[in-house]
Amino acid sequence: PVPTSRQLISLYTMVQNPNMTYSGISDLVVLPPLWVRCDGSDPQHTCWIGAEPLKAGNKVTGVNIYMVSCDGPTADKTRFANLEELKKEHKIRHHSSLVTTKGFARYELIAAAAIEDTIAESESNIYVDITWNGVDKILETPPLVSAATLNIALESGDPRSPVFQLYRELQFLLALAEGLKTGVTEWPEPSESESALKLVQEFLTDLKKKLDGDCVSGNKSEREKIKCDTAAVDSCIKSIFGERGDLDFTEQLWCKMKGKCVSSYQELIECFTLVIKSLELGEIQPWIHQGSSSFLSQLIQQSYHGKMEDVPLSDITPNQMLLEIGLEKMKKDYVSFFIGEPDTCSLLFQDYFISTSVDLQEQVHRVQKLHHMLEIMVSCTGLLQFRHENLFPLTQICMQYYKENPLNEKHVFQLPIRPALVKKFYQNDNPEIWKVEISSGHGQKEVKTTWQVSTNAPVEHGTANNSGGLFSDSTVNGSSEERLYFITMTQCSQVQFT
């Protein structure tokens, strides 16, 4: 209850006061800040009362006491505060003639930028935080001279992402890696398309007719499918990521066997048996990338000299062979994108993301990081129309984080930007949070009054409805859909002991 909370804060203040000698405490100890959660039963709906000591060295000179009230949710803007009245009340309470104001606003951009039903329900979010000095009115749109920070938290795997097919490819790679660890591989359900064995047989037959090593990336129907899959994607996204035109033999082989093509361990053995037999008989002389280090690439290099080691296709060997060629192929896929961004490749080639000096499991983990970074770049390019000068610093931030931390798709990447870069996405939109901070005094004498509206309840208690992002059913101020806001007010009082 609020009265009990006030009493507790009063006792805390008295104990901290060095002038209260009758408290029976000889050696005063600086207590940590105290915050009391209230039931909001008073007319102001007080939800928190806090006290924080002011210190000069080891001596307590005073206490700041805070009152936090919360009301709502409401769409009735007549219940919103008036800025001039807030400033006047602050001046009276703190006996100040001069106050400064600072604004803060948060806008969600992923919903504002996306076409309806483009973004699936997930933890993904792109929002911008904007701060500025000199607020003129409540809920004003931030001026272009504000400081802005873009915040990006993105989950991979949205079916409507332009790189979703690459994501599915990555999932198959992860299944192979997990199978090597556990000894049990989760093979995908066979699809209605042709089997991997038939695709590999056709691929080898075609190569036998082309001993000059001319490699074609996929057949006509596959190329048409790629076109069909990307037909609905905006042109700026289509140019971001497409299938490479320089796939070597092992990479094309991976394309025949990945996903829902190889559906069993036995079929995997049969596919590799065909390949190795063709190499041993000299029926094919496939081209591979220089520097390719997979076991299959080593066998191909041996076949150039007509002498190959025996390969027992048993135990984990077939799985590892497939994982290796898939890993090499996908590394080159991601590198081809980041090389497309000038100056970015130098960061990529610092022998971390594409290193082969670590074990296969760690290599797969780093490829996951590359995919997450790619999803972020694609989203910023497609949804926000970012150009290279904006993507490059964001790429640096992501790479630096992932060189030091494990994969974390809930991590919020932050990029300082100019508000003008994203203004068109929020200028006609309602903010998720809008706040004004009125302050006076300096140093320890500084005191603040904060007024805020937010679509989500700022506290877990004391409000009628804690769900955020709501809209009212009734018509308010002529609009049939008004945003519901929680109103939060924080007032400060300062008690000086000296």
Side-chain angles (χ1 to χ4, degrees), residues 323-336:
L323 176 62
E324 286 177 351
I325 65 175
L327 194 54
E328 283 196 343
K329 188 261 185 187
M330 295 198 73
K331 281 182 185 179
K332 287 186 172 64
D333 286 342
Y334 293 115
V335 168
S336 71

Side-chain angles (χ1 to χ4, degrees), residues 153-384:
L154 203 65
E155 274 191 357
S156 301
D158 189 323
R160 285 153 284 198
S161 168
V163 292
F164 181 65
Q165 293 304 315
L166 192 64
Y167 173 78
R168 291 181 61 184
E169 197 170 331
L170 176 63
Q171 295 310 296
F172 183 56
L173 195 76
L174 293 174
L176 291 173
E178 187 65 21
L180 285 184
K181 282 197 300 184
T182 63
V184 179
T185 302
E186 292 287 339
W187 296 102
E189 289 292 326
S191 64
E192 297 178 5
S193 60
E194 296 174 294
S195 69
L197 187 62
K198 185 176 180 181
L199 290 174
V200 170
Q201 180 67 70
E202 291 174 351
F203 177 49
L204 295 175
T205 301
D206 189 49
L207 283 181
K208 290 174 187 176
K209 300 175 183 177
K210 300 176 180 179
L211 289 180
D212 58 355
D214 182 24
C215 295
V216 181
S217 179
N219 57 36
K220 181 180 177 183
S221 63
E222 287 175 328
R223 292 196 298 271
E224 288 177 350
K225 182 179 184 300
I226 292 171
K227 288 182 181 180
C228 179
D229 287 344
T230 58
V233 182
D234 186 83
S235 59
C236 69
I237 298 179
K238 281 196 291 184
S239 63
I240 291 174
F241 196 88
E243 188 162 338
R244 289 184 290 114
D246 64 339
L247 297 181
D248 71 0
F249 172 79
T250 62
E251 292 172 323
Q252 291 183 72
L253 186 63
W254 164 263
C255 291
K256 307 297 180 187
M257 300 167 70
K258 69 181 179 182
K260 292 194 174 183
C261 293
V262 172
S263 56
S264 69
Y265 177 71
Q266 183 58 39
E267 187 176 25
L268 177 61
I269 292 175
E270 291 171 354
C271 288
F272 277 129
T273 299
L274 281 177
V275 172
I276 292 172
K277 184 178 180 181
S278 295
L279 289 171
E280 288 174 337
L281 296 176
E283 295 175 340
I284 56 173
Q285 295 178 2
W287 166 76
I288 57 173
H289 286 297
Q290 186 176 3
S292 181
S293 59
S294 68
F295 182 50
L296 182 59
S297 295
Q298 294 173 28
L299 292 176
I300 292 171
Q301 290 171 348
Q302 293 171 13
S303 74
Y304 295 160
H305 306 288
K307 190 175 182 180
M308 292 171 57
E309 63 180 278
D310 292 331
V311 184
L313 290 175
S314 59
D315 198 27
I316 64 170
T317 300
N319 297 57
Q320 184 159 327
M321 287 174 64
L322 186 59
L323 176 62
E324 286 177 351
I325 65 175
L327 194 54
E328 283 196 343
K329 188 261 185 187
M330 295 198 73
K331 281 182 185 179
K332 287 186 172 64
D333 286 342
Y334 293 115
V335 168
S336 71
F337 166 78
F338 288 107
I339 283 183
E341 298 297 317
D343 304 322
T344 304
C345 56
S346 60
L347 285 170
L348 191 66
F349 284 104
Q350 288 177 355
D351 198 32
Y352 176 80
F353 293 102
I354 58 172
S355 172
T356 56
S357 62
V358 293
D359 63 43
L360 283 177
Q361 298 294 339
E362 177 59 22
Q363 289 183 50
V364 171
H365 185 65
R366 294 181 185 186
V367 164
Q368 279 186 279
K369 295 179 179 182
L370 284 173
H371 183 85
H372 189 220
M373 290 191 289
L374 178 61
E375 293 262 15
I376 290 172
M377 301 307 140
V378 167
S379 294
C380 288
T381 306
L383 295 176
L384 304 180

